Amino acid sequence: MKKIFTFGGGLFLIALLLRFPQEGAAGAKLGLDTCLSVLIPSLYPFLVLTVFLVKSGATASFGNSPLGKFIARLFALPQSAAGTILMGMCGGYPAGSRGIEALYEENELTEKEASHALLFCVNAGPAFLCTAVGAGFLRNPVAGQLLLCAHLLGGILLGVLLSIHFRGHFSLPKSPQKPLPSPAKALLAAARSAAASMVSMCGFVILFAAFLQIVQKLLSLPQLSALSAICEVTLGCKTMALSGMPLWCFALATGWGGLCVHLQVLQGLKFKVSLWQFFLCRLLHGILSAILIFPLAHLFPGASPVFGSNSATVPSLSGPMIGSAVLLLLCIAVLLDTCSFSKRREKA
């Protein structure tokens, strides 16, 4: 049944491309421009540094510091994961997952520990929240700072809550099982790994941008805002700003991250991840961030209204939904196939 649905959804999306070729091409170009102007410049250096710190052994050294020990105990993880957790909080959505995968490859984390860390170490970076969303889309830098505080606090709170359940599985720091490479070799390996990750990320962004450009012809602005926030967080924040959505909606969307980010995080992982736990934690991160917006708003009086906006009345929510529904369900099918492939590879 899943294969039939995937085949039918794929044919429908091909038909959309044939019916709206100019829109699809314009969306792909927009996605490519986003990759070249935003994604690669802001994320690639962080990805390289995150993997380099792991492969060079620097994260293990940081884990032995008082701050590293505190972070490890707080999140019920080995001390070697402390540096990766910090990089994941400031490096953008995929940086944390790539650092966790590098720790798993270096035998610093077990599969259970790696999957546990991935549930909360998926965070938007300050450059995206403060610069792109705050100063760019909302034209209010203070609003970006508020979103950043709520987002990071929501991620920390989620990690602490998860650690309560995981506390019994905590393991002591592991000694490296193979000699560490030289800094030059570690940097080369990190650059290759980050480049491969960037190619996959850019591919997903271009694909989602192409179809969302087509779907926007079928939907009103509020509908497009909701769908975009579910599928691709950058376009979601942009359309929500045009719709005049309140700040808690932005906090919810950035905590969720979008299916495009989820694919970037999950693709190619070498350890098993529970999809339902991953999606639940992404949703919880969004909810916690949205809730934290309200008390934090009193500390940021210059931010946009939390409960509503001063924008003009937006169109009604009526409109055709078939295109957006198929696109959304097909993305979910791809994620399920990714999980199934991972399980089959483990059994082989």
Side-chain angles (χ1 to χ4, degrees), residues 24-169:
K29 183 178 182 299
L30 178 62
L32 181 60
D33 291 341
T34 301
C35 292
L36 294 177
S37 62
V38 179
L39 192 65
I40 295 177
S42 62
L43 282 182
Y44 182 72
F46 278 102
L47 291 178
V48 174
L49 289 175
T50 300
V51 179
F52 170 75
L53 291 176
V54 173
K55 291 187 176 296
S56 65
T59 53
S61 299
F62 174 77
N64 292 325
S65 67
L67 178 59
K69 294 178 180 179
F70 172 76
I71 293 174
R73 293 293 176 180
L74 182 65
F75 296 113
L77 286 170
Q79 295 175 13
S80 57
T84 299
I85 293 173
L86 287 182
M87 291 296 295
M89 289 182 176
C90 63
Y93 286 111
S97 66
R98 291 298 163 262
I100 293 168
E101 185 175 31
L103 287 171
Y104 178 74
E105 292 174 345
E106 298 297 322
N107 295 319
E108 295 286 348
L109 293 180
T110 65
E111 183 177 70
K112 185 181 291 292
E113 291 165 346
S115 61
H116 163 65
L118 190 70
L119 294 180
F120 67 90
C121 202
V122 180
N123 300 280
F128 174 70
L129 292 174
C130 295
T131 305
V133 180
F137 300 150
L138 296 174
R139 301 185 183 278
N140 188 337
V142 179
Q145 297 168 13
L146 173 59
L147 288 171
L148 176 63
C149 291
H151 186 82
L152 292 180
L153 288 175
I156 293 173
L157 182 57
L158 175 63
V160 172
L161 292 175
L162 290 172
S163 70
I164 296 175
H165 168 72
F166 194 74
R167 188 70 58 180
H169 302 283

Side-chain angles (χ1 to χ4, degrees), residues 5 8-13 16 227 321-332:
F5 167 76
L11 288 180
F12 181 83
L13 294 180
L16 281 181
L227 177 65
M321 294 293 291
I322 181 65
S324 58
V326 172
L327 175 61
L328 179 60
L329 292 175
L330 188 61
C331 293
I332 295 174

Side-chain angles (χ1 to χ4, degrees), residues 93-94 122 200-201 203-205 207-209 212 226-236 252-267 275 278-280 282-283 324-336 338:
Y93 286 111
V122 180
S200 298
M201 293 175 205
F204 286 125
V205 170
L207 179 65
F208 274 78
L212 287 173
L227 177 65
S228 299
I230 293 173
C231 292
E232 209 287 308
V233 66
T234 304
L235 184 56
L252 179 62
T254 53
W256 163 251
L259 292 176
C260 184
V261 167
H262 299 166
L263 287 169
Q264 296 171 23
V265 170
L266 295 173
Q267 57 90 22
L275 274 186
F278 179 81
F279 288 138
L280 178 61
R282 293 295 87 234
L283 181 59
S324 58
V326 172
L327 175 61
L328 179 60
L329 292 175
L330 188 61
C331 293
I332 295 174
V334 173
L335 288 169
L336 292 175
T338 302

